[in-house]
Amino acid sequence: MTAYAPELLVHSWFNSDRPLLLAGLRGRVVVLAAFQVLCPNSIASGIPQAQRIYETFAPSDVAVIGLHATFEHHDAFSSAVLKAFVHEYRLKFPIAIDQPNPASPIPLTMERYKMRGTPSLVLIDRHGFVRKHTFGSVDDLRLGAEIGALVQETEVASVARSSAA
Amino acid sequence: MTAYAPELLVHSWFNSDRPLLLAGLRGRVVVLAAFQVLCPNSIASGIPQAQRIYETFAPSDVAVIGLHATFEHHDAFSSAVLKAFVHEYRLKFPIAIDQPNPASPIPLTMERYKMRGTPSLVLIDRHGFVRKHTFGSVDDLRLGAEIGALVQETEVASVARSSAA
Amino acid sequence: MTAYAPELLVHSWFNSDRPLLLAGLRGRVVVLAAFQVLCPNSIASGIPQAQRIYETFAPSDVAVIGLHATFEHHDAFSSAVLKAFVHEYRLKFPIAIDQPNPASPIPLTMERYKMRGTPSLVLIDRHGFVRKHTFGSVDDLRLGAEIGALVQETEVASVARSSAA
Amino acid sequence: MTAYAPELLVHSWFNSDRPLLLAGLRGRVVVLAAFQVLCPNSIASGIPQAQRIYETFAPSDVAVIGLHATFEHHDAFSSAVLKAFVHEYRLKFPIAIDQPNPASPIPLTMERYKMRGTPSLVLIDRHGFVRKHTFGSVDDLRLGAEIGALVQETEVASVARSSAA
């Protein structure tokens, strides 16, 4: 049932001097936090949690990526809105805008992940597999435990493999 | 030191089928709540408080008016952003967009009230005088007491006048 | 339907150098806040709200009185528990312990007011009449409005009476 | 710098049909949560967090133990107070009262762990070593990560050992 995480299809990165790909983040746990700047639950819960994750874990262990993804209000959103948002909320982790699909209201990354809305959170392990995918608010304690386990799992698993070799 | 409240200069009303003027609200206490959709403190504190005021007091006693006012990020904001915001946050009180000033980054109502930023809150009594003007978060208990006193003040003052007559 | 507030029957006052009686507080609005030190809702909501009321209103307008009242766990509570509680929570308003009733688990003041449990809040106006009586959490904005109106009501009512005289 | 966790010296267990010893919990991560029923920070932060930990992790992985520990107000506390507290807050994890020291105001377990006050939290790994010891509030996300890592660490470490054998 474990699925390989689909690659990002996005544009207009903030807090990153170049576009990021999941393929380039192998070896790290990735937290993909989908949000929408006018979604109350994204703003009250999803975004502050993503920022806390970014501040809690070592960048060499955990990469946090924000994804602005929405299937409505397309005329309201622009790169200027996201730029102002990132500035006003003093966010430090990399954030990208999901790639619009000319044939559908659902943008491409949101579509690939079959996200139900925002906030959505996807945990991807060091090998690129999706280990958790939620819609709505997520409890900090449980999420911390899951990220902590994913970080620890692979380190020790590697040790296990090399010990066994 | 009590000042007469300057009239609104705004456009694009939401939750009102026609433009509102303070002049048309005499006899009611007016709560003017200035905010900006990407201002963290407006979203966490100012806007939910304005909604609570709207839900707590009788419309015949207290009129709540939201004012989208900002001196920066002008390229980010449009009527479409405000429309989506009002929809997403399920706001029910009348909200207008402050009128841009072609000669200044500060829009006209914000300028007239000399607001320092968002959230700002202005309490106007039944006679049109400014009785409180704050910048930043405001305590619910104290604000409730002040609005309650303004509502009561004029009712009983009217009674006093008619009793005395 | 307005009822005269029954007098307090209590012991062991804290934060007051002498026993208080409602009869001695006429002319002030009284907030009677019943609580129990091991009641989660009293501690999370009732007690901090009573402290906020005490800090928000002028003592000449509003008197806050805490009442430790409980119909169970009688073997757990002593004056020493209340003394430690008042010290640990740095409470500054007068607090008394409800008078036990040897014939019933319900102490005397709780019985007289027919309180349903804790937290309970009773608002008494300047003339000694009960104007609000609630069980459970109370919204700060609405409560502030009600206290503010009671404070204002009587001041202006007095003005009305003297104007009319 | 890693220290072996001193054994508990306590009495009056709640939510456990027999006294517990750390020695009997080897193989599980132990969260020792010291609190005091009239300590505001214990009640607002420490106790609810202990309950969340108890609800989040499998009992076979993580054991939560509450410890009522205080160096003052000794005349206020009795088993009856703790019994009422456990009942009122609907706590489900095992809780014990620290053993008084006739020669000192500091009870025995608090003394052995050199706790600075309440709330204090001690994380003990599956082998009985203290891995974290804090005084004051602890962030849920970080604590979740640490417990999650301790749970994962030993499982995989055991795998590593058996793989290598």
Side-chain angles (χ1 to χ4, degrees):
Chain A
M1 209 184 85
T2 306
Y4 212 69
E7 190 51 87
L8 305 173
L9 288 171
V10 300
H11 68 92
S12 303
W13 283 89
F14 302 92
N15 295 328
S16 178
D17 51 9
R18 63 183 193 289
L20 299 176
L21 290 173
L22 295 182
L25 297 168
R26 291 289 178 272
R28 299 160 72 184
V29 175
V30 177
V31 177
L32 180 63
F35 70 102
Q36 194 248 70
V37 295
L38 301 179
C39 159
N41 207 2
S42 291
I43 298 307
S45 163
I47 283 292
Q49 187 176 61
Q51 180 69 21
R52 283 196 300 276
I53 296 170
Y54 179 74
E55 291 165 357
T56 298
F57 293 90
S60 54
D61 282 331
V62 179
V64 177
I65 292 180
L67 174 74
H68 191 260
T70 178
F71 52 82
E72 56 185 344
H73 313 307
H74 290 298
D75 55 339
F77 302 118
S78 61
S79 295
V81 169
L82 266 290
K83 185 182 176 188
F85 171 73
V86 168
H87 175 264
E88 289 272 319
Y89 279 79
R90 286 155 176 65
L91 302 175
K92 301 302 180 195
F93 56 90
I95 291 175
I97 300 178
D98 201 355
Q99 187 71 47
N101 180 350
S104 158
I106 303 175
L108 295 175
T109 310
M110 195 176 208
E111 167 77 31
R112 285 179 157 200
Y113 277 85
K114 302 192 188 312
M115 289 175 182
R116 297 166 54 199
T118 54
S120 280
L121 184 139
V122 182
L123 281 191
I124 303 167
D125 71 17
R126 301 203 199 223
H127 303 290
F129 291 101
V130 172
R131 298 292 289 272
K132 182 188 182 82
H133 183 162
T134 62
F135 169 53
S137 297
V138 180
D139 178 73
D140 259 18
L141 188 74
R142 186 179 299 274
L143 182 58
E146 290 165 342
I147 300 175
L150 286 186
V151 167
Q152 186 69 18
E153 170 193 73
T154 326
E155 279 183 350
V156 187
S158 304
V159 172
R161 277 194 300 276
S162 52
S163 307
Chain B
M1 210 182 81
T2 307
Y4 212 68
E7 191 51 86
L8 305 173
L9 288 171
V10 300
H11 69 91
S12 304
W13 283 89
F14 302 91
N15 296 327
S16 178
D17 51 10
R18 62 182 194 290
L20 299 175
L21 289 173
L22 295 182
L25 297 169
R26 291 291 176 271
R28 297 161 73 185
V29 176
V30 177
V31 177
L32 181 62
F35 71 102
Q36 194 247 71
V37 294
L38 302 180
C39 159
N41 206 3
S42 291
I43 297 307
S45 162
I47 283 292
Q49 187 176 60
Q51 181 68 23
R52 283 196 299 276
I53 296 170
Y54 178 75
E55 291 165 357
T56 298
F57 293 92
S60 53
D61 282 331
V62 178
V64 177
I65 293 180
L67 174 73
H68 190 261
T70 178
F71 52 82
E72 56 185 344
H73 312 307
H74 290 299
D75 56 339
F77 302 118
S78 62
S79 295
V81 169
L82 264 292
K83 185 182 175 188
F85 171 73
V86 168
H87 176 264
E88 289 273 318
Y89 279 79
R90 289 156 173 63
L91 302 175
K92 300 303 181 195
F93 56 90
I95 292 176
I97 301 178
D98 201 353
Q99 187 70 48
N101 181 350
S104 158
I106 303 175
L108 293 175
T109 309
M110 195 176 207
E111 167 77 31
R112 284 179 159 199
Y113 277 85
K114 301 193 188 313
M115 289 174 182
R116 296 165 55 199
T118 53
S120 280
L121 184 141
V122 182
L123 281 190
I124 303 168
D125 71 17
R126 301 205 199 222
H127 303 290
F129 291 102
V130 172
R131 298 292 288 273
K132 182 188 183 81
H133 183 161
T134 60
F135 169 53
S137 297
V138 180
D139 178 73
D140 259 19
L141 189 74
R142 186 179 298 274
L143 182 59
E146 291 165 340
I147 299 175
L150 286 185
V151 167
Q152 186 69 19
E153 170 192 75
T154 328
E155 278 182 350
V156 187
S158 304
V159 171
R161 277 195 300 276
S162 52
S163 307
Chain C
M1 211 183 82
T2 306
Y4 212 68
E7 191 52 86
L8 305 173
L9 287 171
V10 299
H11 69 90
S12 303
W13 284 89
F14 302 92
N15 296 327
S16 179
D17 50 11
R18 61 182 194 291
L20 299 176
L21 289 173
L22 295 182
L25 297 169
R26 291 291 178 270
R28 298 159 72 183
V29 176
V30 177
V31 177
L32 181 62
F35 70 101
Q36 194 248 69
V37 296
L38 301 180
C39 159
N41 207 3
S42 290
I43 297 306
S45 162
I47 283 291
Q49 186 176 60
Q51 180 68 21
R52 284 196 299 277
I53 296 170
Y54 179 74
E55 291 165 357
T56 298
F57 293 91
S60 53
D61 282 331
V62 179
V64 177
I65 293 180
L67 174 73
H68 191 261
T70 179
F71 52 82
E72 56 185 344
H73 313 308
H74 290 299
D75 56 338
F77 301 118
S78 61
S79 295
V81 169
L82 265 292
K83 185 181 176 189
F85 172 73
V86 169
H87 175 265
E88 289 273 317
Y89 280 79
R90 289 158 173 64
L91 302 175
K92 300 303 181 196
F93 56 91
I95 292 175
I97 300 178
D98 201 354
Q99 187 71 48
N101 181 350
S104 157
I106 304 176
L108 294 175
T109 309
M110 196 177 207
E111 167 77 31
R112 285 181 157 198
Y113 277 86
K114 302 190 189 312
M115 290 175 181
R116 296 166 54 201
T118 55
S120 280
L121 184 139
V122 181
L123 280 190
I124 303 168
D125 71 17
R126 301 204 198 222
H127 303 290
F129 291 102
V130 172
R131 299 292 288 272
K132 182 187 183 83
H133 183 163
T134 61
F135 169 53
S137 297
V138 180
D139 179 73
D140 259 18
L141 189 74
R142 186 178 300 273
L143 181 58
E146 291 165 341
I147 299 175
L150 286 186
V151 167
Q152 186 68 20
E153 171 193 73
T154 327
E155 279 183 348
V156 188
S158 305
V159 171
R161 279 194 299 276
S162 52
S163 307
Chain D
M1 208 184 83
T2 306
Y4 212 67
E7 191 49 88
L8 304 174
L9 288 170
V10 300
H11 69 92
S12 303
W13 284 89
F14 302 91
N15 295 327
S16 179
D17 50 10
R18 62 181 194 289
L20 299 176
L21 290 173
L22 296 182
L25 298 168
R26 292 289 178 271
R28 298 160 73 184
V29 175
V30 177
V31 177
L32 180 63
F35 70 101
Q36 194 249 71
V37 294
L38 301 180
C39 160
N41 207 3
S42 290
I43 297 306
S45 163
I47 283 291
Q49 186 176 61
Q51 181 68 22
R52 285 197 299 276
I53 296 170
Y54 178 74
E55 291 165 358
T56 298
F57 293 90
S60 53
D61 282 331
V62 178
V64 177
I65 293 180
L67 174 73
H68 191 261
T70 178
F71 52 82
E72 55 185 344
H73 312 308
H74 291 298
D75 56 339
F77 302 119
S78 60
S79 295
V81 169
L82 265 291
K83 185 182 176 188
F85 171 73
V86 169
H87 176 264
E88 289 273 318
Y89 280 78
R90 287 154 174 64
L91 302 175
K92 299 304 181 196
F93 55 91
I95 292 176
I97 301 178
D98 201 354
Q99 187 71 48
N101 181 350
S104 157
I106 305 176
L108 294 175
T109 310
M110 195 176 208
E111 166 77 31
R112 285 180 157 199
Y113 277 86
K114 302 191 188 313
M115 290 176 181
R116 296 166 54 200
T118 54
S120 280
L121 184 139
V122 182
L123 281 190
I124 303 167
D125 71 17
R126 300 203 199 223
H127 303 290
F129 291 102
V130 172
R131 298 292 288 271
K132 183 188 182 82
H133 183 162
T134 61
F135 169 53
S137 296
V138 180
D139 178 73
D140 259 19
L141 189 74
R142 186 178 300 274
L143 182 58
E146 291 165 342
I147 299 174
L150 286 185
V151 167
Q152 187 67 19
E153 172 191 72
T154 326
E155 279 182 350
V156 187
S158 305
V159 171
R161 277 194 300 275
S162 51
S163 308

